[in-house]
Amino acid sequence: MTWFARAFEPIVPRMRGLRRSIAFRLTAYYGLIFAVCLVAAWLLIDRGLSALLTRSDRSIIRNLLKDLKTEYRTGIEGMAKSIGSKHSSVAAVRIADARNHTVAYFGPDWSCHNAIEMLPLTGSDWSRIRAKDLTEIDIGRGKLFDGSFIQVARSDRPRRQVMRNFERVSLAAIVPMLILATLGGALLAARTLRPIRDLNEAVREIGVTGKTSARLQSSSTAGELRDLVAAFNEMLARIEGLIETLKGTLDNVAHDLRTPLSRLRGIAELALQRSSTPEALRDALADCVEESERVTTLLNTIMDITEVESGTMNLQLQRVDLRELADQVAELYQQVAEDKGVELKTTSASSVPAQADRNRVLQALANLVDNAVKYTPVGGSVEVAAVLHRSGPALRVTDTGLGIPPEEQSRIWERLYRSDHSRTERGLGLGLSLVRAIMQAHLGTTNVTSSPGAGSIFTLTFPRETERSRSDAKSPLANQT
């Protein structure tokens, strides 16, 4: 390896990385497009200027022919004096008779006198020949009053000189313009891609530190990049919220699992330590089964909610009668309500059809009725009804229980949230979260109206069938079969 190669060896990887960078490619593309456009514009101007000068030369020849035709009437000698004095721009003038014999010739030879004589006197009034010095000569022809012909020739040397000057000046301007354009493109690409670099650095920082609190500043960006920065910040905020929710969920799940698991362990240890009878061991096993069912219910409920949030809950949609479902759940909880001294009744007057998953709706309604009976004091009442609202068919559960403070009504749907007065009863804190998840999968809504000490009204509203047919294709929450 030569010293030259060794000197540039550390630079090669940087150059390869630079070529792969978006900023370099944008600058290169910008410079290339600018150069192509500049060359195209130069060619158009060059061709346009050449055509303009050509028309100017022919206009000069045309005017000379007109003047010389007039002066020819005074004689060839007068015309010759005029050519020498007033028409110094004339390149050459030839007068020929009708048989194309030269009568008079004025001007330099240009080594093309014979070529002009060879031009026909009929056909086009314009001709062009090339001299030995490679200059081009435009020749205009006209007819004189006595039947003779006059030919005026003009060299393109002045035109070529103007074109050379133009090319020299334009070349001197194009090179700096290309350099400035490339530098400007590099600065523009660097400024435009700064949010991308900041985004890349933020992602790397999050990957290294695991902190999602970083945010990008969008004040220096506009358009799509501003939207990208805003979307990234929103995503970070959502991820941060999800992580915090996950931490809280794990803490709550660990707390709720600790109690049944501790009970399981305690029951098993007591059964092993004591010389228990078969009946006592059977009771211990029954308690263990009960606690394991509690754990299973907790995990299954969390999985159901997660299915909705991830859009994988599979609904078996069919036409159901909400009044029938309300009667079925009320009948299921009738004995529980009677044991607690709570009146449980249904007030649906007619059938209320809806497109829904029968089992999932029963699960959601059962959670609402279970909560209503659980938190309604002795002597209170719980009413389950199927109604038809303007917004669609609905299920309504009304109780005369403890009620919910206004500041907690928006939080009762959160996973594992339990208000202070609800902690006196055993529960997972997942029932209402599951209700909301099931209604979201149905593209429906949940609503609560409550006042402390005056009871609560929970309403589950399903979309109308026409609205559902329009929304099914757009819904990411359910896969209907």
Side-chain angles (χ1 to χ4, degrees), residues 192-460:
T192 303
L193 295 175
R194 186 168 61 184
I196 305 297
R197 291 196 300 272
D198 295 340
L199 180 64
N200 190 24
E201 292 176 1
V203 172
R204 287 181 179 177
E205 182 181 355
I206 293 172
V208 173
T209 63
K211 297 180 180 180
T212 57
S213 58
R215 297 293 185 272
L216 298 182
Q217 299 296 327
S218 59
S219 58
S220 60
T221 59
E224 292 83 355
L225 290 178
R226 181 186 292 273
D227 296 338
L228 174 63
V229 171
F232 181 75
N233 288 336
E234 183 179 352
M235 181 188 68
L236 285 180
R238 183 170 178 82
I239 292 174
E240 188 176 15
L242 290 175
I243 291 175
E244 293 299 324
T245 302
L246 180 61
K247 289 179 180 178
T249 300
L250 291 176
D251 291 341
N252 290 329
V253 169
H255 178 270
D256 282 348
L257 285 178
R258 188 180 296 113
T259 300
L261 291 177
S262 298
R263 285 176 57 84
L264 276 172
R265 183 184 180 90
I267 293 170
E269 287 179 349
L270 288 175
L272 291 174
Q273 290 174 2
R274 298 175 181 177
S275 55
S276 303
T277 63
E279 291 76 12
L281 292 175
R282 188 177 295 108
D283 291 340
L285 288 175
D287 291 340
C288 289
V289 171
E290 181 181 353
E291 294 299 329
S292 66
E293 285 292 334
R294 176 178 167 82
V295 174
T296 302
T297 302
L298 172 65
L299 295 178
N300 287 338
T301 305
I302 292 177
M303 291 298 296
D304 288 340
I305 297 173
T306 303
E307 281 185 5
V308 174
E309 293 177 347
S310 61
T312 58
M313 177 174 280
N314 196 15
L315 296 181
Q316 304 295 328
L317 294 179
Q318 57 182 318
R319 189 179 179 87
V320 298
D321 186 355
L322 297 184
R323 183 188 63 174
E324 179 187 344
L325 300 185
D327 293 339
Q328 185 175 345
V329 172
E331 182 181 355
L332 178 65
Y333 278 88
Q334 191 66 49
Q335 186 62 47
V336 177
E338 290 178 0
D339 292 342
K340 192 174 180 182
V342 174
E343 181 186 7
L344 177 59
K345 58 183 178 179
T346 59
T347 59
S348 304
S350 60
S351 63
V352 180
Q355 284 288 331
D357 186 314
R358 181 184 185 87
N359 293 329
R360 290 295 185 180
V361 174
L362 285 173
Q363 187 179 12
L365 185 58
N367 273 282
L368 290 181
V369 175
D370 181 74
N371 281 347
V373 172
K374 186 185 299 182
Y375 297 112
T376 299
V378 177
S381 64
V382 175
E383 178 185 299
V384 184
V387 295
L388 187 60
H389 288 162
R390 287 184 177 179
S391 54
L395 287 168
R396 185 174 63 205
V397 177
T398 306
D399 65 65
T400 58
L402 302 175
I404 305 170
E407 64 274 9
E408 294 184 359
Q409 291 181 15
S410 61
R411 300 196 59 194
I412 60 174
W413 309 103
E414 296 178 6
R415 193 186 300 186
L416 298 173
Y417 177 78
R418 300 185 68 190
S419 60
D420 293 336
H421 70 268
S422 67
R423 297 185 182 274
T424 58
E425 298 284 347
R426 292 188 62 183
L428 303 176
L430 292 171
L432 294 180
S433 298
L434 180 60
V435 171
R436 183 182 64 173
I438 291 174
M439 292 306 297
Q440 285 179 341
H442 282 82
L443 305 180
T445 60
T446 55
N447 183 58
V448 59
T449 303
S450 181
S451 299
S456 305
I457 302 175
F458 286 85
T459 305
L460 309 181

